[in-house]
């Protein structure tokens, strides 16, 4: 049953989550820090919906109808009557803490507070609230309107009821969920991609194989849609570095320790597609 959703952070992920929920009939508030950010978010949603309409995947009238269900705002108080809140702000613990402390005060007592973090333990985010049982990870994938998966992550204190609520929500908005039963750094998907990318970068760094050949091996040998280094360029070399560092910090498992090449690329500003150069040139 469609309800009220508040999305905090109108960037790439937040606007995508707002879009798919509104398409499924949810009333959505989309909060960011200033009007420029919410306008950018809404602009991205409009573009995506128009593309779907052009391809005949939705009716032309659905574009405006969907947008009408999304209210951009710079006021976090807009989350006060939300049934579910999904936080999608920068991947920095202190910023997420600030948001969750505020949400804990603002939101209804029975609201579920979800985080879209890709690698920060949910338990660590939940710990600053008075309701850790209502905090859960909903890890959507980019681009949200296209990607089917939502990885649900139980924090140490997440209740069964909270998990059931976000499972029903994610399925209602068209996603397939997998449940991560224990709150480990990087969950399942970020752990897997980090281990693969770290090993891939080591092989390239030591001259064993070129980036192109490594990606070709994964595509043609394993049937991956995209090689790990092309994926890293798309996601952001900095994002991968940050994720593997986080997992390494938590586990002290050296298979996640970022190779020097990854660190130097970030220092040099070769962050992938967004800067025009990463493992490939764009
Ligand atoms: N980009 C991806 O592929 C991807 C995939 C899965 C998960 N994630 C996770 O999703 C989250 C968001 O990532 P993104 O790629 O959308 O980032 P982004 O940089 O595109 O957007 C983040 C937005 O949050 C806003 N913001 C910062 N502080 C805020 C606050 N206090 N209140 C409201 N808005 C605030 C920023 O202004 C920005 O618009 C991160 O935790 C990231 O790790 C990203």
């Amino acid at each position: 049953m469609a309800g009220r959703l508040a999305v905090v952070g109108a960037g790439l992920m937040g606007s995508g989550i707002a879009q798919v929920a509104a398409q499924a009939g949810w009333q959505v508030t989309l909060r960011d820090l200033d009007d420029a950010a919410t306008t950018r978010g809404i602009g991205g949603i409009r573009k995506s919906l128009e593309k779907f309409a052009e391809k005949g995947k939705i009716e032309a009238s659905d574009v405006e109808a969907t947008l009408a269900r999304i209210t951009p705002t710079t006021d976090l108080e807009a989350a006060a009557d939300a049934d579910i809140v999904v936080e999608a702000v920068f991947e920095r613990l202190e910023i997420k803490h600030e948001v969750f402390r505020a949400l804990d005060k603002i939101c209804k007592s029975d609201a579920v507070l979800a985080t879209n973090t890709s690698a920060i333990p949910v338990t660590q985010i939940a710990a600053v609230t008075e309701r850790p049982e209502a905090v859960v990870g909903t890890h959507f994938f980019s681009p949200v309107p296209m990607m089917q998966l939502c990885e649900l992550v139980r924090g140490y204190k997440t209740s069964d009821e909270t998990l059931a609520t976000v499972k029903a929500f994610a399925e209602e908005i068209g996603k397939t969920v997998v449940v991560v039963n224990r709150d480990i750094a990087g969950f399942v998907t970020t752990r897997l991609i980090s281990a693969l990318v770290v090993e891939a970068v080591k092989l390239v760094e030591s001259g064993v194989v070129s980036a192109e050949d490594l990606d070709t091996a994964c595509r043609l040998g394993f049937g991956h849609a995209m090689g790990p280094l092309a994926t890293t360029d798309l996601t952001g070399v900095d994002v991968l570095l940050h994720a593997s560092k986080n997992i390494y910090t938590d586990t002290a498992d050296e298979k996640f320790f970022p190779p020097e090449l990854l660190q130097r690329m970030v220092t040099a500003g070769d962050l992938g597609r967004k800067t025009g150069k990463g493992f490939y040139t764009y």
Side-chain angles (χ1 to χ4, degrees), residues 7-15 17 31-34 37-38 40 73-74 76 87-92 95-96 98-99 115-120 138-144 190 234-236 239 242:
V7 179
V8 185
L12 183 68
M13 299 305 292
S15 57
I17 295 163
R31 193 260 177 164
D32 210 300
L33 297 174
D34 53 39
T38 54
R40 229 179 1 256
T73 179
T74 54
L76 195 61
E87 166 277 312
V89 304
F90 299 134
E91 186 76 348
R92 296 242 308 273
I95 302 180
K96 295 200 189 281
E98 188 191 313
V99 169
T115 172
N116 192 54
T117 179
S118 8
I120 301 174
T138 49
H139 183 204
F140 288 88
F141 287 71
S142 172
V144 182
T190 308
L234 183 63
T235 308
V239 175
H242 194 253

Side-chain angles (χ1 to χ4, degrees), residues 36-119:
T38 54
T39 304
R40 229 179 1 256
I42 296 286
I45 294 172
R46 175 179 288 282
K47 230 190 218 164
S48 167
L49 290 169
E50 284 172 351
K51 234 187 247 167
F52 279 126
E54 268 165 36
K55 290 187 181 154
K57 295 197 168 148
I58 59 173
E59 300 292 325
S61 58
D62 290 338
V63 176
E64 295 307 325
T66 301
L67 285 166
R69 282 193 285 274
I70 306 174
T71 309
T73 179
T74 54
D75 186 0
L76 195 61
E77 295 283 340
D81 63 352
D83 304 308
I84 298 177
V85 182
V86 178
E87 166 277 312
V89 304
F90 299 134
E91 186 76 348
R92 296 242 308 273
L93 182 63
E94 67 277 17
I95 302 180
K96 295 200 189 281
H97 271 171
E98 188 191 313
V99 169
F100 274 80
R101 269 194 206 99
L103 287 173
D104 193 24
K105 293 204 180 83
I106 291 167
C107 294
K108 301 192 291 191
S109 60
D110 61 346
V112 165
L113 310 184
T115 172
N116 192 54
T117 179
S118 8

Side-chain angles (χ1 to χ4, degrees), residues 201 205 258-265:
V201 174
E205 183 177 52
E260 283 184 339
L261 175 60
L262 211 54
Q263 315 215 33
R264 295 296 174 272
M265 286 173 74

Side-chain angles (χ1 to χ4, degrees), residues 21-39:
Q23 281 184 271
W26 282 62
Q27 289 295 332
V28 181
T29 59
L30 180 57
R31 193 260 177 164
D32 210 300
L33 297 174
D34 53 39
D35 290 337
T38 54
T39 304

